[in-house]
Amino acid sequence: MLKISLSRLEELFAAIAEKQTLYIPSDRADGAAEFTKWEPGKALTQKLNTLRSAKDFFFPQTENIVDFKMEGKNIQVIDQRSEHEDFVIFGVRPCDARSFTILDKVFLSEPVDSFYKNRRDHGTVVTMACSRPAETCFCGTFGIDATEPEGDAACWSDGEDLFIKANNDKGQAFIDSISSLLEEGDTAKLDQVKAKTKEILSRLPLANLSTAAFGGDTLNEHFNSEKWAELSESCLGCGTCTFVCPTCQCYDIKDFNTGNGIKRFRCWDSCMYSDFTKMAHGNPRTSQLERFRQRFMHKLVYFPANNNGEFGCVGCGRCLSKCPISMNIVKVMKALEVK
Amino acid sequence: MQVNENKEFQPLIVAFCCNWCSYAGADLSGTNRLNYPTNVKIIRVPCSCRVNPMFILRAFQRGADGVILCGCHPGDCHYTSGNYFTRRRMTLLFSMLDFLGIERDRTRVEWVSAAEGAKFAATMNEFTEAVRKLGPNRRLEDLRCRKQ
Amino acid sequence: MQRIGVFVCHCGTNIAATVDVKAVAEALGHEPGVVISQDYQYMCSESGQNLVKDAIKEHDLGGVVICSCSPRMHENTFRKAAASAGLNPYLVEIANIREQCSWIHKDIATATEKAIILGKAAIAKVHLNTPLTSMESPVVKRALVIGGGIAGIQTALDIAEAGFDVDIVEKQPTIGGKMAQIDKTFPTLDCAACILTPKMVEASQNEHITIHSFSEVEDVKGFVGNFTVKIRKKARYVDETKCTGCGLCTEKCPMKKVPNEFNMGLDNRSAVYIPFAQAVPKVATIDPNYCMMLKNGKCGVCSKVCSVGAIDYKQQDRIIEEKYGAIVVATGFNPIKLDKYDEFAYNQCPDVVTSLELERLMNAAGPNGGTLLRPSDKTHPHTIVFVQCVGSRCDDSKGKPYCSKICCMYTAKHAMLIREKYPDTEVYVFYIDVRTPGKNFDEFYRRAVEQYNVHYIKGMVGKVTPKSDGKIGVQASDLLSNEQLHIDADMVVLAVAIEPDKTARPLATMLTTQMDTNDFFTEAHPKLRPVESATAGIFLSGACQGPKDIPETVAQGSAAAAKAIGLLCKNSITCNPCTAHSNELMCNGCSSCEKVCPYGAITYIDKEFRMPDRTTAIRRVASVNPAVCQGCGACTVACPSGAMDLSGFSNSQIMAEVDAICK
Amino acid sequence: MQEAMIKRAKELLADGSVKRVIGWKRGEFAYDITPAVFESAEELDKDFVFDDFTSANVSKYLVKESKKEGKVLVFLKPCDTYSLNQLTKEHRVDRDNIYVIGIPGGPKLDIEKIKAKGITGILSVKNDNYTLKIDTLYGEETMPFSEAILDKCASCKSKKHVTYDELIGEDGDVLDSDRFDMVEKLENMTAQERYDFWREQLSKCIRCNACRNVCPACTCEKCVFDNPNSGVENKAASDSFEENMFHIIRAFHVAGRCTDCGECSRVCPQNIPLHLLNRKFIKDINSLYGEYQAGADTTSRAPLTDYTADDCEASIVHERGAE
């Protein structure tokens, strides 16, 4: 497999950044990792994952869609779509890599979301295999192998070298663009690392979490479960879980009156919010129980029902560590699977 | 905010004036033909205590460079105590804006009675100059509202 | 989208000279919603108004913007015009392009630009205006007068004269107030009691007047035309309805060592007492602090001697509740305490007295039967020093910053009376200024100086020192001759500053009326509304509003009565429709708004609601009484959820104006 | 402590004094504790937990729970009792329907601080004489207890329970805390430095509303930021202005009402020190209008619904401190 010494990462990043914008996970001042634009001197984080997911690159939190300019009584419509520049996201973890597959199912199926597609077409996802999973990780539940990441191209580290491999044409093009820095390397040590990682993955506290009790055909069973009341009773109705989630894809479209015109934009929305999907008659889900249930039913039942059994969760564990009251999909699954 | 032909920065000043004292004071400075800059645009409110911090932030968002609140002198409020509440609210709000690094001189509270036409004009002249010196409001503006 | 008409006034050349009114009308005509925009020479003229009225009808306008002079000038004119054309008057907005534009700017281009912006702001606001309707609120035809001094008596008599029921609440056992304690009145030197007591009797006999003596206001709720007042009738341990005022109990009472407050503590009374001979009501009162029966159950003499069985040792305070349409405050004044004035030796020397004490010392019903004697040794004083401005016109924290107004005149009166009655007495008056504005006042003062040879000395007394020989050393400076004076006086009389009664402050809180820093009630306008408080339906009478002499007090008492009568005459009152209102679905019931409301217009009710989650719940929500709300808007900012909003100046209206200005 | 609490809760449930118990429920790991309502002895035995991670302030749940039928038992730490008092004062809870057992306060632990040390794969955390022994997938780690304390506990203002019906353990005192140090440090910076500081912090905001939704002072039936008619409603900050505005208005709305419980900063997924905004207001109120502790009682007038005739003028902001 092609490789480059970890000591030459800076060189590698510089070479990528020369051709297109490069984003890498790095540590910010408060210690948390986040994807930022690479510039000389910026180092890859040692953390397992970024605080926020990588979905922002394709589905940003707010996005201007169209402008209406008003002059007196005349209105002019200005389309805000423009061709996105090429970019590379380096160091995406296997769980987040899978999240793009899930988002694709939503945004790239008909009618295609042109804003999303524009970004997706111009972005190259370079993933990084895990070697030190955390207790909150449960990607295995959703069939993700943290040692064999998806993405356009995938990377591994054996502690000395970074190995890289293309998963598709786009990934190959990316590798070709930096091939002068790469050399063929021996993967013996890497295989050991992978084996060790697999062993740890098997010992994770959530290693045995299963989706067996869920899926598209379990709607009636779960929708009417009495457990929702207890599960949702302490939910604050905030949007933390939604906004750190790599797969949550709901948005709202709103108009902002600038005084000189209207900016129509879309922004993330959360099904946990009281005004989610508000319509002329009001909100279809009027209690927090219903809103809470919606979120988990969507991920565990409705989404697989509409997407050939694919679940709307990748087991990244962000909601496990970020929910202010520590309620999360794992607790929901464990409660619901008990008959 | 706008820049005129001689490229001098023309700050936009929003002045909230209570109906009973300061708005009347502004009228008086008009009656007495006391000049102050056109930069100042007055919004009439029943009492200075009607001014919600949201209105002030709104003005900055939309492009105001300075916001001034004028009310009756303490003790003279038409509604007895309105301006006392204004004073506490605005002291804390301005202190918070300062804490966030927003220039202090962009906000002000001034007590102007119905008889103080001269004070009104002088205050507006002085405040406009102070804000002009600061330059355009960049720290608390909404870029979407900036005039093209 | 509203159909809005814009009318730009030239105001002759007042506006048109500096603002291109045609350009303003043209520019505003392009604003969304504007269907007609025109200019006219004088919009406020008959024909200008007709222009507006015709346009309202012709174009079916839903909103009108007048770009003209200040709304303080002609807002009502245009509102009435709109109303007469069938448009709700509150759908009219004024853009002030005269006082706040044409008159202060010189450059036509910039002034025109600003006028357009002001017009746009008014248009933005009028888009969000809603029709408002004034409410009517009924008036209870009964007045309450708090305080039974000459101010309160005069007010009550005048209101009763007009045929309305009126209650007087007096905290003392008798009405009469300070005037009852005064010996003679300036500048006529007639006897105070002789002119006051007939009025007291008149009040007690008037069928429209109810006197609640020995009573205090406990609680005030409600609003103009409809106050509900709780009055505490303090236990006097004597049944008012039975007592004939024969005075036998006061004679037989064995406890006779009670300082007599009517005589300023200069003599004693019994534990059961009638304050003075002409007291109204003439009913005995038992002082529980001294009555042996009430203190330790041993005595009961009064009960035994009372032939009508009026004594009731078990009497309790009673609370009565009454509704009133108007309230007149007449809580009066008191001389200040002299604890902080050691230099005048008031607390050390009994012969240093206040002017009010002197009134009692000289009064025929006073401790000495009208003969002026020194309190210490009951001898005739031969040298008397009067000190003016004790605690008045002080710039330190000890005294009061204001002039107590009446001291110059009563001191001249005292000096004159003493010189008249005891020509062998030398009288010195130390003053800062002698203030004698008033009918026959200066003449009166000059008589004291010229005819009675009172020694008026401009200067302040520095120190008063009681001496071992009974004399009082007065050390003073004569500012005119610039020399230090040492006078051995027999008596020193202090013209003590007056201050509002201590009960006024809590009362002001109950009434939600305003006070100044000296605790005098603040009038609604210092020039034009001197007897009204800023709170509708609360009127001010007498010295509670500021120092006053008797004629002024009586005049103000009658003026307050006239204002109260004016209110009581109405069957209902029209309220300002620009009032606050609470969106009950958003209200948290947190009470923040109630705390900042100066009028007590907000109350809370528990109400059943269907909640967003389809359950029902009883929630505490704010409710604004539109008859009481004056529309200041303090509550709207105190409310964190934004449930409270103000009609006519709503959040969205003001923000629309901001947006239009900043556009 | 946990055993005593469970015992007492069971007694009160058994004798019918209370119908429900608000406390904390154990989670999947050592630290992911969820506030919960318990209705039976079995539930209490199974899941009730009180340990170094039970830091959540459960008082806000009383807004809903106290209005249900039957009395509710709640375990409150000293800081939480201030919140309850404030809620009582604002008529947001029915205090008569609440039975408060005061329990000892922190310091509680912040799992983020442990993770920040690079410790991951955490299986258990044990406090061994103020050294944390942390069992992980990658072996045992240790760190001093003091380095893992929650920020809100590190600057604890009071160990005193300001309202309770009974106590388990002893009551403490109001503490002399250093909670205003950071505010003061910021005040002493230049305006530019302060601006940069807050821009860095507030630009992290993802508008998840966790700070607002956890805040015991934010109990509005409808928040202005959720109300399309308020003029400030939005779901995400589209511009730096909106990031600022949300936090300014939120802090202003709780000014004089915030008890400084510190939950806003604890729950912020982006580690924004939001408590500094509230503390700035508290510090200003204390220095300008006299010491005031929201929630210390249920009757005093809040600083923003009160005034004195000789309050300082707003220009004091211009006159003090560094520019």
PDB file of all heavy atoms in Angstrom, chain C residues 525-544:
ATOM      1  N   HIS C 525     -48.372  68.293  37.096  1.00  0.00           N
ATOM      2  CA  HIS C 525     -47.569  69.287  36.391  1.00  0.00           C
ATOM      3  C   HIS C 525     -47.363  70.458  37.334  1.00  0.00           C
ATOM      4  O   HIS C 525     -48.310  70.933  37.946  1.00  0.00           O
ATOM      5  CB  HIS C 525     -48.270  69.738  35.101  1.00  0.00           C
ATOM      6  CG  HIS C 525     -47.396  70.592  34.228  1.00  0.00           C
ATOM      7  ND1 HIS C 525     -47.156  71.918  34.500  1.00  0.00           N
ATOM      8  CD2 HIS C 525     -46.679  70.296  33.117  1.00  0.00           C
ATOM      9  CE1 HIS C 525     -46.336  72.408  33.579  1.00  0.00           C
ATOM     10  NE2 HIS C 525     -46.023  71.434  32.734  1.00  0.00           N
ATOM     11  N   PRO C 526     -46.123  70.938  37.458  1.00  0.00           N
ATOM     12  CA  PRO C 526     -45.843  71.948  38.481  1.00  0.00           C
ATOM     13  C   PRO C 526     -46.574  73.270  38.237  1.00  0.00           C
ATOM     14  O   PRO C 526     -46.823  74.022  39.179  1.00  0.00           O
ATOM     15  CB  PRO C 526     -44.331  72.136  38.401  1.00  0.00           C
ATOM     16  CG  PRO C 526     -43.921  71.564  37.095  1.00  0.00           C
ATOM     17  CD  PRO C 526     -44.925  70.516  36.750  1.00  0.00           C
ATOM     18  N   LYS C 527     -46.896  73.537  36.986  1.00  0.00           N
ATOM     19  CA  LYS C 527     -47.575  74.797  36.695  1.00  0.00           C
ATOM     20  C   LYS C 527     -49.056  74.568  36.430  1.00  0.00           C
ATOM     21  O   LYS C 527     -49.906  75.262  36.944  1.00  0.00           O
ATOM     22  CB  LYS C 527     -46.984  75.450  35.432  1.00  0.00           C
ATOM     23  CG  LYS C 527     -45.486  75.515  35.391  1.00  0.00           C
ATOM     24  CD  LYS C 527     -44.947  76.595  36.296  1.00  0.00           C
ATOM     25  CE  LYS C 527     -43.446  76.696  36.197  1.00  0.00           C
ATOM     26  NZ  LYS C 527     -42.754  75.416  36.414  1.00  0.00           N
ATOM     27  N   LEU C 528     -49.331  73.599  35.579  1.00  0.00           N
ATOM     28  CA  LEU C 528     -50.662  73.515  34.999  1.00  0.00           C
ATOM     29  C   LEU C 528     -51.582  72.508  35.671  1.00  0.00           C
ATOM     30  O   LEU C 528     -52.779  72.541  35.467  1.00  0.00           O
ATOM     31  CB  LEU C 528     -50.544  73.196  33.499  1.00  0.00           C
ATOM     32  CG  LEU C 528     -49.676  74.203  32.723  1.00  0.00           C
ATOM     33  CD1 LEU C 528     -49.536  73.786  31.281  1.00  0.00           C
ATOM     34  CD2 LEU C 528     -50.273  75.609  32.815  1.00  0.00           C
ATOM     35  N   ARG C 529     -51.004  71.613  36.449  1.00  0.00           N
ATOM     36  CA  ARG C 529     -51.870  70.653  37.142  1.00  0.00           C
ATOM     37  C   ARG C 529     -51.401  70.527  38.584  1.00  0.00           C
ATOM     38  O   ARG C 529     -50.983  69.463  39.029  1.00  0.00           O
ATOM     39  CB  ARG C 529     -51.827  69.302  36.433  1.00  0.00           C
ATOM     40  CG  ARG C 529     -52.396  69.375  35.012  1.00  0.00           C
ATOM     41  CD  ARG C 529     -52.143  68.096  34.252  1.00  0.00           C
ATOM     42  NE  ARG C 529     -52.925  66.985  34.793  1.00  0.00           N
ATOM     43  CZ  ARG C 529     -52.715  65.710  34.448  1.00  0.00           C
ATOM     44  NH1 ARG C 529     -51.771  65.397  33.605  1.00  0.00           N
ATOM     45  NH2 ARG C 529     -53.464  64.759  34.967  1.00  0.00           N
ATOM     46  N   PRO C 530     -51.467  71.629  39.335  1.00  0.00           N
ATOM     47  CA  PRO C 530     -50.831  71.644  40.659  1.00  0.00           C
ATOM     48  C   PRO C 530     -51.574  70.867  41.739  1.00  0.00           C
ATOM     49  O   PRO C 530     -51.004  70.618  42.781  1.00  0.00           O
ATOM     50  CB  PRO C 530     -50.786  73.140  40.989  1.00  0.00           C
ATOM     51  CG  PRO C 530     -51.908  73.735  40.222  1.00  0.00           C
ATOM     52  CD  PRO C 530     -52.056  72.918  38.966  1.00  0.00           C
ATOM     53  N   VAL C 531     -52.836  70.516  41.527  1.00  0.00           N
ATOM     54  CA  VAL C 531     -53.537  69.801  42.594  1.00  0.00           C
ATOM     55  C   VAL C 531     -53.856  68.358  42.229  1.00  0.00           C
ATOM     56  O   VAL C 531     -54.529  67.656  42.966  1.00  0.00           O
ATOM     57  CB  VAL C 531     -54.843  70.528  43.012  1.00  0.00           C
ATOM     58  CG1 VAL C 531     -54.513  71.914  43.538  1.00  0.00           C
ATOM     59  CG2 VAL C 531     -55.838  70.598  41.874  1.00  0.00           C
ATOM     60  N   GLU C 532     -53.325  67.931  41.067  1.00  0.00           N
ATOM     61  CA  GLU C 532     -53.535  66.538  40.694  1.00  0.00           C
ATOM     62  C   GLU C 532     -52.218  65.789  40.846  1.00  0.00           C
ATOM     63  O   GLU C 532     -51.164  66.357  40.606  1.00  0.00           O
ATOM     64  CB  GLU C 532     -53.963  66.437  39.219  1.00  0.00           C
ATOM     65  CG  GLU C 532     -55.291  67.097  38.914  1.00  0.00           C
ATOM     66  CD  GLU C 532     -55.413  67.441  37.440  1.00  0.00           C
ATOM     67  OE1 GLU C 532     -55.658  66.516  36.662  1.00  0.00           O
ATOM     68  OE2 GLU C 532     -55.246  68.612  37.083  1.00  0.00           O
ATOM     69  N   SER C 533     -52.296  64.537  41.230  1.00  0.00           N
ATOM     70  CA  SER C 533     -51.089  63.723  41.173  1.00  0.00           C
ATOM     71  C   SER C 533     -51.007  63.153  39.767  1.00  0.00           C
ATOM     72  O   SER C 533     -51.964  63.262  39.005  1.00  0.00           O
ATOM     73  CB  SER C 533     -51.163  62.592  42.201  1.00  0.00           C
ATOM     74  OG  SER C 533     -51.989  61.581  41.707  1.00  0.00           O
ATOM     75  N   ALA C 534     -49.867  62.548  39.449  1.00  0.00           N
ATOM     76  CA  ALA C 534     -49.738  61.958  38.113  1.00  0.00           C
ATOM     77  C   ALA C 534     -50.644  60.749  37.971  1.00  0.00           C
ATOM     78  O   ALA C 534     -50.923  60.296  36.877  1.00  0.00           O
ATOM     79  CB  ALA C 534     -48.291  61.571  37.848  1.00  0.00           C
ATOM     80  N   THR C 535     -51.096  60.206  39.085  1.00  0.00           N
ATOM     81  CA  THR C 535     -52.005  59.063  39.030  1.00  0.00           C
ATOM     82  C   THR C 535     -53.430  59.576  38.924  1.00  0.00           C
ATOM     83  O   THR C 535     -53.871  60.354  39.774  1.00  0.00           O
ATOM     84  CB  THR C 535     -51.849  58.203  40.302  1.00  0.00           C
ATOM     85  OG1 THR C 535     -50.472  57.877  40.447  1.00  0.00           O
ATOM     86  CG2 THR C 535     -52.664  56.937  40.204  1.00  0.00           C
ATOM     87  N   ALA C 536     -54.113  59.133  37.901  1.00  0.00           N
ATOM     88  CA  ALA C 536     -55.469  59.641  37.673  1.00  0.00           C
ATOM     89  C   ALA C 536     -56.352  59.348  38.874  1.00  0.00           C
ATOM     90  O   ALA C 536     -56.311  58.249  39.438  1.00  0.00           O
ATOM     91  CB  ALA C 536     -56.046  59.001  36.417  1.00  0.00           C
ATOM     92  N   GLY C 537     -57.149  60.336  39.267  1.00  0.00           N
ATOM     93  CA  GLY C 537     -58.110  60.147  40.350  1.00  0.00           C
ATOM     94  C   GLY C 537     -57.552  60.414  41.736  1.00  0.00           C
ATOM     95  O   GLY C 537     -58.266  60.301  42.731  1.00  0.00           O
ATOM     96  N   ILE C 538     -56.266  60.732  41.829  1.00  0.00           N
ATOM     97  CA  ILE C 538     -55.660  61.062  43.127  1.00  0.00           C
ATOM     98  C   ILE C 538     -55.316  62.553  43.101  1.00  0.00           C
ATOM     99  O   ILE C 538     -54.570  63.005  42.231  1.00  0.00           O
ATOM    100  CB  ILE C 538     -54.366  60.267  43.377  1.00  0.00           C
ATOM    101  CG1 ILE C 538     -54.557  58.774  43.101  1.00  0.00           C
ATOM    102  CG2 ILE C 538     -53.833  60.542  44.779  1.00  0.00           C
ATOM    103  CD1 ILE C 538     -55.193  57.983  44.180  1.00  0.00           C
ATOM    104  N   PHE C 539     -55.869  63.289  44.058  1.00  0.00           N
ATOM    105  CA  PHE C 539     -55.657  64.737  44.094  1.00  0.00           C
ATOM    106  C   PHE C 539     -54.914  65.133  45.364  1.00  0.00           C
ATOM    107  O   PHE C 539     -54.894  64.393  46.347  1.00  0.00           O
ATOM    108  CB  PHE C 539     -56.998  65.458  43.986  1.00  0.00           C
ATOM    109  CG  PHE C 539     -57.786  65.024  42.780  1.00  0.00           C
ATOM    110  CD1 PHE C 539     -58.805  64.079  42.894  1.00  0.00           C
ATOM    111  CD2 PHE C 539     -57.480  65.515  41.515  1.00  0.00           C
ATOM    112  CE1 PHE C 539     -59.504  63.647  41.779  1.00  0.00           C
ATOM    113  CE2 PHE C 539     -58.174  65.093  40.389  1.00  0.00           C
ATOM    114  CZ  PHE C 539     -59.186  64.149  40.516  1.00  0.00           C
ATOM    115  N   LEU C 540     -54.316  66.296  45.333  1.00  0.00           N
ATOM    116  CA  LEU C 540     -53.458  66.728  46.434  1.00  0.00           C
ATOM    117  C   LEU C 540     -54.005  68.000  47.051  1.00  0.00           C
ATOM    118  O   LEU C 540     -54.358  68.946  46.343  1.00  0.00           O
ATOM    119  CB  LEU C 540     -52.043  66.989  45.914  1.00  0.00           C
ATOM    120  CG  LEU C 540     -51.419  65.865  45.099  1.00  0.00           C
ATOM    121  CD1 LEU C 540     -50.075  66.302  44.528  1.00  0.00           C
ATOM    122  CD2 LEU C 540     -51.254  64.611  45.953  1.00  0.00           C
ATOM    123  N   SER C 541     -54.047  68.006  48.373  1.00  0.00           N
ATOM    124  CA  SER C 541     -54.590  69.162  49.071  1.00  0.00           C
ATOM    125  C   SER C 541     -53.657  69.528  50.217  1.00  0.00           C
ATOM    126  O   SER C 541     -53.274  68.678  51.024  1.00  0.00           O
ATOM    127  CB  SER C 541     -55.992  68.795  49.575  1.00  0.00           C
ATOM    128  OG  SER C 541     -56.501  69.806  50.404  1.00  0.00           O
ATOM    129  N   GLY C 542     -53.272  70.769  50.285  1.00  0.00           N
ATOM    130  CA  GLY C 542     -52.547  71.279  51.442  1.00  0.00           C
ATOM    131  C   GLY C 542     -51.062  70.959  51.446  1.00  0.00           C
ATOM    132  O   GLY C 542     -50.438  70.736  50.401  1.00  0.00           O
ATOM    133  N   ALA C 543     -50.489  70.929  52.648  1.00  0.00           N
ATOM    134  CA  ALA C 543     -49.037  70.898  52.806  1.00  0.00           C
ATOM    135  C   ALA C 543     -48.403  69.561  52.424  1.00  0.00           C
ATOM    136  O   ALA C 543     -47.185  69.451  52.389  1.00  0.00           O
ATOM    137  CB  ALA C 543     -48.661  71.257  54.237  1.00  0.00           C
ATOM    138  N   CYS C 544     -49.200  68.566  52.119  1.00  0.00           N
ATOM    139  CA  CYS C 544     -48.604  67.298  51.688  1.00  0.00           C
ATOM    140  C   CYS C 544     -47.901  67.473  50.351  1.00  0.00           C
ATOM    141  O   CYS C 544     -47.064  66.681  49.972  1.00  0.00           O
ATOM    142  CB  CYS C 544     -49.648  66.199  51.592  1.00  0.00           C
ATOM    143  SG  CYS C 544     -50.857  66.454  50.284  1.00  0.00           S
TER     144      CYS C 544
END
